[in-house]
Amino acid sequence: MADSVKTVVDTEKIRKAALSGIPLSITTYTLSHEMEMYISDVLESFLKAIGHEHIKEYLAYCIQELAVNAKKANTKRVYFKEKNLDITNPNDYRLGMKSFKEDTLSDIIHYLKKQKEEGLYVKIVLQVVGETITIEIRNNSEMVSDEYVRIHDKLARSKKISVMGDSLSQILDDSEGAGLGLVIIMQMLRKIGLTEENYEVMVEDGETITRLTIPFDTKTKEGIDELSDEVIKAVDDLPQFPENIQELQRLLGDPEAKLSEVARRVSTDAALTGDLLKLVNSAAFAMGKKCNNITEAVKLVGFKGLKDLLYSYGTQQILGTSTESQKKLWKHCYKTAFFAYNLAKNFGKNSNLLNDIYTCGILHDMGKIIFAKTHKGVSEKITAFCKKRNVTPALMESLFAGNNHGEIGARIAERWNFPDILVWSIRYHHNPSIAPGAIRTLVSMVYIADAMCNYIDGTIDYYQLDKGVLSTCSIENEATFIAILKQLDESFNSSI
């Protein structure tokens, strides 16, 4: 989202991003009045999606004030450059600031044009991270030591001001004029129960970043946790894995088991046979000829691969594949699995990834599928719970379906005694950076595969993806991302 590209608020896309923990980014070069209004509208939609619209006015002021300060910092860079002054030199800094305000205000159009020409932007990023709302205001002008000292000096003095009328003259600074605005920001944060600890200023990778961290209020957090518990209780009514699958799992765990006996057991289940043949004949195995022989298929996939296949097959048997919503979710999961397997095959440095990643891909959205299965069964409980807690049922359902499905899926997988690698991949597939180190690469590839499928569907944009995770597959820019995605998509479509 940028100045001249789009000013219409896509509320559905914002809602999906908010509920899935995907960052929303707005980039501007001049921070026009129209862009300020657009930012305000996006913030309103974002907060409404997560049930926090009541703090909109406070945060809108903070964002506007911080964005103006970021724009001013960019203006300062082009001004100093035009005056042949070194902004990192303390003497030049003091000299430049004497005339900065008057000179730029008298010819602001000129300086705004210059900073846009030089690519100096202001970026607002909104994201739900775990149990917090994170808001960042970024600009690609690194803060210099004089600016850092001034801001932290004003922050320190703002702590002493409890009422807006108290000693404001102590912090007003005509040379930069940001003192009062920062005090008001602190007052706004206090209004919603925050302190200076929720306000950070830092420099990272060529950007100055001001970050506001707003924890979910107790009511919302407890609501999500309690709703999750209600859904898990509802899953108690679901059957355990079918007996024939449990028997086959026990056979595969027997070191004395013979290939022919395993193949015979598989062949007694027509649906499992079909899934196994579909797997070995997919482009993932890159076979030169089609395999129709069960014994050969078991040999190709191996006992470990077959055991993993049983987890996804058994889950489908329990949760179902008959409704349109279920079919759509399973199709997404199989496509993610195919993408993840081939990413691991081409970019994975550890060949052991291939043993588990396909099944991890199939089951990554198990929480969403469970919700689709149990939705009718828990709807009355959700309604009663929300009425008791005065929380909108639609909001709670959306929060579960979006932001919490990884945790719910993982907890059910634990209940069904899935191996840790499957549990962890389900739990962390939206946040691979916090996954256990031993499986972080695997989860990262599932994340990328899932993101590629969502990118095809138009539900996310490239800028919303974690660039550190993308580097797992040597993806450094959108062109590379699209090139790999196109190749994988064509292979998947030809394998159907």
Side-chain angles (χ1 to χ4, degrees):
M1 302 176 185
D3 278 322
S4 58
V5 177
K6 183 178 182 181
T7 55
V8 177
V9 175
D10 188 339
T11 55
E12 180 59 19
K13 198 166 189 176
I14 292 169
R15 187 188 71 83
K16 288 181 178 179
L19 296 175
S20 300
I22 298 171
L24 280 166
S25 178
I26 305 168
T27 301
T28 175
Y29 295 93
T30 60
L31 196 62
S32 64
H33 176 68
E34 289 77 12
M35 180 55 68
E36 288 181 333
M37 297 298 292
Y38 176 66
I39 292 169
S40 178
D41 290 343
V42 170
L43 175 66
E44 183 174 11
S45 293
F46 177 83
L47 293 175
K48 186 176 181 180
I50 55 175
H52 280 67
E53 59 264 46
H54 58 285
I55 61 175
K56 188 256 183 177
E57 296 303 322
Y58 301 105
L59 294 182
Y61 175 83
C62 294
I63 291 173
Q64 182 177 357
E65 183 70 25
L66 293 169
V68 167
N69 288 344
K71 181 181 75 171
K72 191 182 297 181
N74 290 344
T75 305
K76 198 186 298 181
R77 268 64 186 173
V78 296
Y79 175 78
F80 272 61
K81 184 176 181 180
E82 196 168 77
K83 297 296 181 182
N84 292 316
L85 295 172
D86 180 2
I87 199 168
T88 63
N89 182 292
N91 292 326
D92 278 6
Y93 187 87
R94 285 189 287 273
L95 178 62
M97 290 312 301
K98 289 180 180 179
S99 53
F100 167 71
K101 186 175 181 179
E102 182 179 351
D103 288 353
T104 54
L105 285 177
S106 64
D107 196 8
I108 189 62
I109 294 176
H110 165 72
Y111 288 104
L112 290 178
K113 182 181 178 182
K114 290 282 292 183
Q115 64 195 56
K116 185 173 183 179
E117 289 174 352
E118 297 198 16
L120 297 178
Y121 58 75
V122 176
K123 185 181 294 183
I124 293 88
V125 183
L126 312 174
Q127 186 177 12
V128 174
V129 181
E131 297 172 359
T132 64
I133 303 165
T134 300
I135 298 174
E136 292 182 344
I137 292 82
R138 297 170 170 255
N139 64 294
N140 54 340
S141 297
E142 288 194 10
M143 185 183 297
V144 298
S145 58
D146 277 273
E147 293 170 316
Y148 186 85
V149 169
R150 286 173 183 270
I151 286 177
H152 282 270
D153 179 55
K154 292 184 176 82
L155 273 175
R157 283 187 276 177
S158 72
K159 293 180 182 180
K160 302 175 183 178
I161 300 174
S162 58
V163 182
M164 284 304 302
D166 289 350
S167 306
L168 290 181
S169 59
Q170 294 178 16
I171 51 138
L172 294 178
D173 185 342
D174 288 338
S175 67
E176 299 199 49
L180 179 58
L182 192 53
V183 170
I184 297 175
I185 287 173
M186 291 301 107
Q187 292 291 325
M188 293 293 184
L189 294 180
R190 288 169 189 149
K191 287 282 188 181
I192 55 178
L194 306 180
T195 68
E196 288 78 6
E197 293 181 359
N198 300 96
Y199 179 99
E200 299 176 87
V201 182
M202 66 205 80
V203 174
E204 291 180 0
D205 300 326
E207 290 185 320
T208 297
I209 305 169
T210 303
R211 179 180 297 146
L212 303 177
T213 306
I214 305 103
F216 277 132
D217 57 45
T218 303
K219 177 180 174 182
T220 301
K221 182 181 181 301
E222 289 179 354
I224 297 171
D225 290 342
E226 289 184 33
L227 176 62
S228 299
D229 289 340
E230 291 292 340
V231 175
I232 289 174
K233 288 176 185 176
V235 177
D236 283 339
D237 298 330
L238 294 174
Q240 292 298 314
F241 272 29
E243 182 60 29
N244 67 318
I245 295 180
Q246 293 185 52
E247 288 180 6
L248 189 50
Q249 284 179 319
R250 286 191 288 270
L251 179 62
L252 290 168
D254 182 357
E256 302 297 323
K258 295 181 179 179
L259 180 67
S260 58
E261 176 60 14
V262 172
R264 188 189 69 77
R265 289 285 185 92
V266 170
S267 65
T268 63
D269 188 320
L272 176 59
T273 299
D275 268 14
L276 176 60
L277 291 175
K278 181 179 179 181
L279 173 63
V280 298
N281 285 310
S282 71
F285 279 80
M287 295 176 62
K289 60 180 181 179
K290 191 170 183 178
C291 175
N292 293 310
N293 183 284
I294 300 301
T295 302
E296 186 66 21
V298 172
K299 185 177 179 181
L300 281 167
V301 78
F303 280 16
K304 173 67 170 63
L306 181 56
K307 197 169 185 178
D308 283 347
L309 177 63
L310 290 177
Y311 288 111
S312 60
Y313 173 73
T315 302
Q316 289 182 64
Q317 295 298 300
I318 295 169
L319 299 182
T321 59
S322 58
T323 68
E324 286 304 312
S325 61
Q326 288 172 331
K327 289 177 182 177
K328 184 176 180 181
L329 284 166
W330 281 117
K331 181 179 180 181
H332 168 81
C333 288
Y334 272 103
K335 193 168 189 176
T336 298
F338 178 86
F339 282 16
Y341 182 91
N342 282 279
L343 288 172
K345 188 176 180 180
N346 288 284
F347 297 99
K349 297 178 182 178
N350 184 349
S351 59
N352 289 331
L353 283 175
L354 299 176
N355 295 331
D356 301 292
I357 198 165
Y358 190 82
T359 304
C360 289
I362 292 175
L363 295 175
H364 77 285
D365 267 350
M366 198 171 91
K368 285 186 177 181
I369 298 167
I370 289 168
F371 186 72
K373 171 73 174 181
T374 63
H375 177 78
K376 292 181 180 180
V378 299
S379 60
E380 290 183 4
K381 293 181 180 180
I382 292 173
T383 301
F385 163 78
C386 292
K387 185 176 181 180
K388 179 181 177 182
R389 298 294 297 274
N390 194 29
V391 178
T392 306
L395 168 65
M396 298 307 297
E397 291 180 23
S398 295
L399 278 168
F400 169 74
N403 218 20
N404 219 32
H405 71 270
E407 179 61 26
I408 295 298
R411 286 165 70 176
I412 299 304
E414 287 172 333
R415 178 168 293 190
W416 285 346
N417 296 315
F418 281 17
D420 286 344
I421 195 167
L422 292 180
V423 174
W424 291 337
S425 65
I426 293 167
R427 175 171 282 130
Y428 299 113
H429 73 273
H430 279 304
N431 299 286
S433 60
I434 61 173
I439 66 156
R440 196 166 295 158
T441 299
L442 180 149
V443 179
S444 294
M445 290 184 177
V446 173
Y447 168 94
I448 296 169
D450 181 49
M452 286 179 166
C453 293
N454 290 325
Y455 184 92
I456 292 171
D457 294 338
T459 57
I460 60 169
D461 292 320
Y462 178 79
Y463 80 84
Q464 295 173 298
L465 305 181
D466 187 319
K467 304 307 181 290
V469 176
L470 292 179
S471 66
T472 306
C473 293
S474 302
I475 298 172
E476 303 296 336
N477 52 59
E478 189 169 10
T480 302
F481 178 83
I482 292 173
I484 295 172
L485 166 57
K486 185 177 179 182
Q487 190 172 20
L488 290 175
D489 196 39
E490 288 175 354
S491 295
F492 177 79
N493 291 332
S494 66
S495 70
I496 297 176

